Amino acid sequence: MDKKVRVRFAPSPTGFVHIGSLRTALYNYLFAEKMGGDFILRIEDTDRTRYVEGAIENLINSLHWAGIHYSEGVFIEDGKVVQKGDYGPYIQSERLDIYRKYVDQLIEEGKAYYCFCDKERLDRIREERQIKGLIPKYDGFCRNIPLDEAKKRVANGEPYVVRLKLPKDTDITFHDVVRGDITINTEDIDDQVLLKSDGFPTYHMAVVVDDHLMGITHIVRGEEWLPSTPKHVFLYEALGWEKPEYVHLPTVLNKDRKKLSKRQGDVSVEDFKDKGYLPEALNNYLALVGWSPEDNKEIFTMDELIKEFSFERVSKTGGIFDKDKLDWVNAQFLRNQDINVLREEASEELIKAGLITEDFAKNNKEYMEVLIDTLKDSISLMTELPEKAKFIFEELPLADETKEFLEGENAENAKVLANAIEEELSSVDEITLDYAKTFMKSIQKKTGIKGKNLYMPVRAMISFSVHGPEMDRILYLLGKEKIFKRLDKFK
């Protein structure tokens, strides 16, 4: 019987969550759900120089917002970071004794060694190799120091690191689900540092120990880790462990086919959340940046993504992150979202913009629903709503193309229509949607004015533009008092 699938997302707490990291988490989640497996969140914080306070909380909150759920690892409860599961601790800095045990084992078995070279020597060696056109790697100077002698130097307090002792001129082969079989010779790889001078393991040591002890069956991570994988494969063999399946994902690129970075704009989950993107839309779009479904379908629920997803259809080449396409996907989700959710989000944005009050939003549910239904097809993000709705709540300057229907030779026509509208509206207590639907026919009968000469001036006088939503919606949303006030200047 096959082993139960166990995958992990193991970021470093170095600040914001990059959109590429979210995609890695998403692919892990989709695969785990599809296979009925476990998805684990582990924190890799062995590089203490890059640790950012609050980054773990931000990471967990970002995953929670995105609807990417994991069953084991690091969580937030009552405002505190807690760990749940049978394979903890799930924070690497709390596992130092575990790593040390396996580092010592490798040293005793002659598969790792103490290295006493200082930074100046290492820099000089690398520079010399670069000048000669060689791979800038460690020259193995400390490889053959007898173990007893090395231990004495350590006992005397001499600074050291521990390095992996790779065999000379040996091919290391592994299979990657996306890229197939990959072979790299040890002459092209460094004797990797496993334990740093501060007593913390490097990523390479910690990740192999953690993945093995936590029963990880598939390692799904970015392709930037591909060159390190042979070292990891050798470590599995050196420790006598079965290696997992490897899946290296293509990089998320910008339109210039360069790695997406903060210098070019929004790249963190927080950025997209603050801009008003829906988590469902962001997940849907990110899934397609590097993976293609069997048909040309573009809009998926999370359940549909889980059903369709497979690593076999993940691309070998980087996926282009196209913000315009993301906006289109977000617009599709926005239009199909539950009206109660939309009303709440719309109210929040309009209140923030100072266009309505909380009381207004609470006491005018039907009005808010008509407003959203009227404008939702013209926006990609809920944060765009206030700008689109502004003409309803505030008087705006007339655009030049609008003025031509109201001034000069058209001024008399506008005056006739303004008076007719005022007379018609005076006969009703309020503008209902049903009444609004027949309103323009009534004005046509009163004035005999038709078509463009009717609709353009009326639209211009009450909404300040000759383009926009249906007239019946505009009439209902504006209401009698606002319309009267706007018509005054044209009578």
Side-chain angles (χ1 to χ4, degrees):
M1 184 179 169
D2 290 338
K3 278 196 295 188
K4 185 179 185 182
V5 164
R6 281 175 64 80
V7 294
R8 51 54 167 189
F9 177 51
S12 299
T14 55
F16 65 88
V17 182
H18 191 281
I19 211 75
S21 297
L22 183 67
R23 190 196 60 175
T24 299
L26 175 65
Y27 282 10
N28 272 285
Y29 171 72
L30 295 175
F31 180 63
E33 289 294 304
K34 181 168 187 170
M35 304 304 291
D38 297 326
F39 176 36
I40 296 143
L41 175 65
R42 186 173 75 221
I43 303 298
E44 300 194 336
D45 63 339
T46 56
D47 187 348
R48 303 307 290 172
T49 61
R50 297 175 65 225
Y51 179 81
V52 173
E53 197 66 44
I56 294 176
E57 291 85 347
N58 177 51
L59 165 67
I60 294 169
N61 289 332
S62 293
L63 291 177
H64 179 73
W65 172 80
I68 297 175
H69 306 295
Y70 49 94
S71 51
E72 193 179 314
V74 185
F75 299 82
I76 292 177
E77 282 187 359
D78 300 324
K80 292 179 181 174
V81 174
V82 298
Q83 301 179 53
K84 293 180 181 178
D86 298 330
Y87 297 84
Y90 295 91
I91 297 174
Q92 283 186 336
S93 57
E94 298 177 18
R95 296 172 61 83
L96 300 186
D97 290 346
I98 298 170
Y99 307 130
R100 185 78 221 204
K101 171 187 167 186
Y102 293 105
V103 169
D104 289 345
Q105 178 185 321
L106 291 169
I107 290 170
E108 293 301 323
E109 293 174 357
K111 296 166 183 172
Y113 60 94
Y114 294 103
C115 173
F116 302 95
C117 296
D118 60 25
K119 185 178 183 301
E120 287 71 22
R121 181 178 188 279
L122 294 174
D123 290 343
R124 189 175 73 253
I125 295 299
R126 287 176 186 277
E127 194 178 323
E128 286 171 2
R129 289 183 67 88
Q130 274 180 320
I131 290 167
K132 291 176 184 174
L134 301 170
I135 293 169
K137 63 174 193 168
Y138 180 59
D139 62 353
F141 183 75
C142 295
R143 272 175 75 106
N144 298 316
I145 297 172
L147 185 54
D148 286 347
E149 182 189 328
K151 283 183 176 179
K152 281 177 190 170
R153 291 171 70 173
V154 169
N156 289 335
E158 194 171 337
Y160 69 91
V161 298
V162 175
R163 289 182 180 273
L164 180 65
K165 187 184 276 189
L166 285 169
K168 295 288 186 183
D169 194 19
T170 302
D171 284 342
I172 297 176
T173 300
F174 64 96
H175 181 78
D176 183 84
V177 173
V178 174
R179 289 165 174 77
D181 290 334
I182 296 171
T183 299
I184 297 180
N185 191 278
T186 53
E187 294 305 301
D188 298 329
I189 315 171
D190 220 344
D191 273 4
Q192 182 64 53
V193 173
L194 301 179
L195 192 74
K196 295 178 285 187
S197 57
D198 62 1
F200 277 76
T202 57
Y203 167 81
H204 307 282
M205 183 67 198
V207 76
V208 168
V209 171
D210 289 346
D211 285 337
H212 172 72
L213 295 183
M214 293 181 186
I216 302 303
T217 59
H218 296 73
I219 292 175
V220 184
R221 60 189 178 192
E223 66 182 356
E224 66 270 21
W225 294 111
L226 206 51
S228 300
T229 304
K231 301 170 192 175
H232 302 170
V233 169
F234 180 76
L235 264 175
Y236 274 99
E237 290 171 3
L239 290 163
W241 297 337
E242 182 186 348
K243 66 179 181 290
E245 291 277 328
Y246 287 98
V247 186
H248 287 93
L249 306 175
T251 305
V252 178
L253 305 171
N254 63 23
K255 285 185 179 178
D256 299 329
R257 303 201 69 82
K258 292 179 180 165
K259 190 172 179 181
L260 203 63
S261 78
K262 205 157 180 66
R263 284 191 301 278
Q264 290 121 12
D266 299 332
V267 295
S268 78
V269 176
E270 204 73 23
D271 290 334
F272 290 93
K273 180 184 175 185
D274 291 345
K275 287 274 169 69
Y277 287 93
L278 300 170
E280 303 91 336
L282 189 57
N283 284 331
N284 184 152
Y285 178 68
L286 273 180
L288 299 172
V289 180
W291 167 77
S292 56
E294 288 192 18
D295 55 24
N296 291 322
K297 186 174 172 179
E298 294 184 290
I299 302 301
F300 293 86
T301 64
M302 188 67 96
D303 286 343
E304 288 168 338
L305 281 175
I306 290 164
K307 187 179 176 188
E308 295 283 332
F309 185 76
S310 73
F311 288 126
E312 284 67 32
R313 297 191 64 84
V314 169
S315 170
K316 292 182 179 68
T317 55
I320 304 295
F321 189 90
D322 183 344
K323 187 177 166 298
D324 293 337
K325 190 61 183 286
L326 170 60
D327 287 351
W328 178 82
V329 171
N330 200 75
Q332 308 312 305
F333 276 88
L334 197 60
R335 280 157 210 171
N336 293 310
Q337 204 172 30
D338 178 82
I339 191 65
N340 291 315
V341 175
L342 279 178
R343 189 176 65 238
E344 198 173 306
E345 292 174 353
S347 299
E348 198 176 300
E349 293 299 332
L350 294 172
I351 292 165
K352 207 189 297 178
L355 296 178
I356 63 170
T357 63
E358 283 185 42
D359 283 347
F360 183 90
K362 199 189 304 176
N363 298 324
N364 294 276
K365 287 187 176 178
E366 183 191 44
Y367 180 93
M368 290 301 297
E369 286 174 13
V370 173
L371 175 67
I372 293 159
D373 195 50
T374 302
L375 298 176
K376 69 179 181 181
D377 286 355
S378 66
I379 60 174
S380 299
L381 297 164
M382 194 54 83
T383 47
E384 296 169 354
L385 184 66
E387 194 57 39
K388 293 289 183 184
K390 198 176 270 187
F391 79 94
I392 293 166
F393 300 100
E394 296 178 357
E395 293 203 20
L396 305 176
L398 294 171
D400 289 341
E401 64 169 337
T402 306
K403 287 177 183 175
E404 70 175 275
F405 292 98
L406 304 173
E407 297 175 352
E409 62 185 41
N410 293 318
E412 189 56 37
N413 189 45
K415 185 176 180 179
V416 169
L417 287 169
N419 284 313
I421 293 168
E422 190 169 84
E423 184 185 326
E424 173 63 29
L425 288 180
S426 296
S427 65
V428 294
D429 292 330
E430 62 175 11
I431 303 175
T432 63
L433 273 175
D434 286 340
Y435 172 72
K437 284 172 186 169
T438 63
F439 180 81
M440 292 304 285
K441 279 190 179 174
S442 300
I443 300 302
Q444 183 180 319
K445 278 183 187 173
K446 275 181 188 292
T447 61
I449 301 169
K450 298 179 183 178
K452 186 178 179 182
N453 293 328
L454 168 66
Y455 280 87
M456 293 300 198
V458 172
R459 188 183 279 278
M461 282 188 285
I462 65 173
S463 73
F464 317 110
S465 173
V466 290
H467 307 292
E470 295 295 322
M471 279 297 298
D472 58 332
R473 297 299 186 94
I474 294 175
L475 289 161
Y476 169 79
L477 290 169
L478 284 171
K480 276 177 62 173
E481 297 310 315
K482 273 187 191 156
I483 293 173
F484 284 159
K485 190 178 174 192
R486 292 180 184 189
L487 291 174
D488 277 347
K489 59 177 80 71
F490 301 105
K491 289 190 298 182

